[in-house]
Amino acid sequence: MSKTTTRPAVRKPEAENGGAAPGAGRPTLEVIGLRKSFGTLEVLKNVSLAVEKSEMVFVLGRSGSGKSTMLRCCNRLEEPDAGEILLEGQPITGSGVNLDKVRRRIGMVFQGFNLYPHLDARRNITLALRKVLKQSRDEADTRAAAALTRVGLADKAGNYPSQLSGGQQQRVAIARAIALEPAVMLFDEPTSALDPELVGDVLGVMRELKEDGMTMLVVSHEMAFAREAADRVVFMADGHIVEQGPPEDLFTNPQHESTRAFLSRYSYGP
């Protein structure tokens, strides 16, 4: 039996004309009846999930459970076969959707850093600001400086990726995403490619983003961080969400056998 949790109240932004803003009262991100197959392999089987404004939701599960595919569907890097995805109450699936606008509102940080090796940290960030938001060089440089300061790398603006540690590169990737001021951030195993001593810096940035009110959907095996920082933990198995709830409940009293088996490997099982 799935567990549920009381979600934090949604702050309703005011429209410029004084009326209700589009999507007011709705979760920031909604996944409804999502299905995705690769050939004959059905990876997502009628998955539904809502992420409220300023909520950090962690998604756990074994490799192959569908976690990353769900994330990639959320910003249309993978096309769902069926179902719907809503961002701030507006559908972003189907034909006719402007993917540039969608991805501007949905930031994504990958396992690999995906930085341009021939550009320094500042220009890795300003490239999208200038091409997508059409900002001037000065505007883009100002926003890039603010983003780098936010991730603790103000002094690395002129460094190229090869001059940065893995953790610093990942923080530049986070800065690049947040510089676009997204409505939600997706993290797909953001620390799995890092040496253990570098993981803490990236998690520290994610913790600060949460404290600043960023809405976040995170796929990760950082169990201690999930237990400490997440508002809700979702467990996936075989293309389904089988259980979800507050971290302390799910880690100490999991209800589904697959959740118990998974957590026992990490010494978090009952």
Side-chain angles (χ1 to χ4, degrees), residues 120-136:
D120 62 25
R122 179 190 297 106
R123 287 192 292 163
N124 262 285
I125 297 169
T126 60
L127 183 64
L129 296 174
R130 299 191 67 191
K131 289 186 175 295
V132 178
L133 298 187
K134 308 301 182 184
Q135 292 189 341
S136 69

Side-chain angles (χ1 to χ4, degrees), residues 32-70:
I32 305 169
L34 205 63
R35 294 184 179 274
K36 177 65 180 178
S37 296
F38 296 100
T40 59
L41 177 63
E42 190 175 17
V43 178
L44 297 176
K45 305 172 183 178
N46 195 31
V47 171
S48 295
L49 178 67
V51 183
E52 300 287 359
K53 185 174 178 63
S54 300
E55 188 180 28
M56 177 190 275
V57 176
F58 252 74
V59 184
L60 303 178
R62 296 182 188 276
S63 178
S65 61
K67 310 182 303 298
S68 291
T69 299
M70 179 183 69

Side-chain angles (χ1 to χ4, degrees), residues 1-2 18 28 31-32 36 40 55 67 79 95 117 147 150 166 174 187 189 208 215 248 256-257 260 269:
M1 181 177 65
S2 295
T28 297
V31 175
I32 305 169
K36 177 65 180 178
T40 59
E55 188 180 28
K67 310 182 303 298
E79 288 296 320
S95 59
R150 197 170 176 187
I174 294 173
F187 291 85
E189 299 285 5
E208 290 177 6
T215 306
E248 200 60 29
H256 197 279
E257 175 55 36
R260 290 195 293 269

Side-chain angles (χ1 to χ4, degrees), residues 22 27 60 77 154 188 207 230:
L60 303 178
L77 285 175
D188 189 9
R207 184 180 290 105

Side-chain angles (χ1 to χ4, degrees), residues 124-168:
N124 262 285
I125 297 169
T126 60
L127 183 64
L129 296 174
R130 299 191 67 191
K131 289 186 175 295
V132 178
L133 298 187
K134 308 301 182 184
Q135 292 189 341
S136 69
R137 182 182 298 275
D138 286 346
E139 289 173 325
D141 283 350
T142 297
R143 190 177 287 193
L148 286 169
T149 298
R150 197 170 176 187
V151 301
L153 292 176
D155 61 335
K156 301 295 183 181
N159 288 52
Y160 289 84
S162 62
Q163 299 171 313
L164 300 171
S165 69
Q168 290 170 335

Side-chain angles (χ1 to χ4, degrees), residues 31 34 50 52 56 60 75-76 78 80 90 114 116 124 145 147 162 164 174 176 181 190 223 233 235 237 246 265:
V31 175
L34 205 63
E52 300 287 359
M56 177 190 275
L60 303 178
N75 74 343
R76 300 282 301 276
E78 298 288 354
Q90 302 300 309
N114 293 350
Y116 294 103
N124 262 285
S162 62
L164 300 171
I174 294 173
R176 179 176 57 187
E181 299 182 348
M223 300 294 182
V233 176
F235 186 79
R265 300 167 54 206

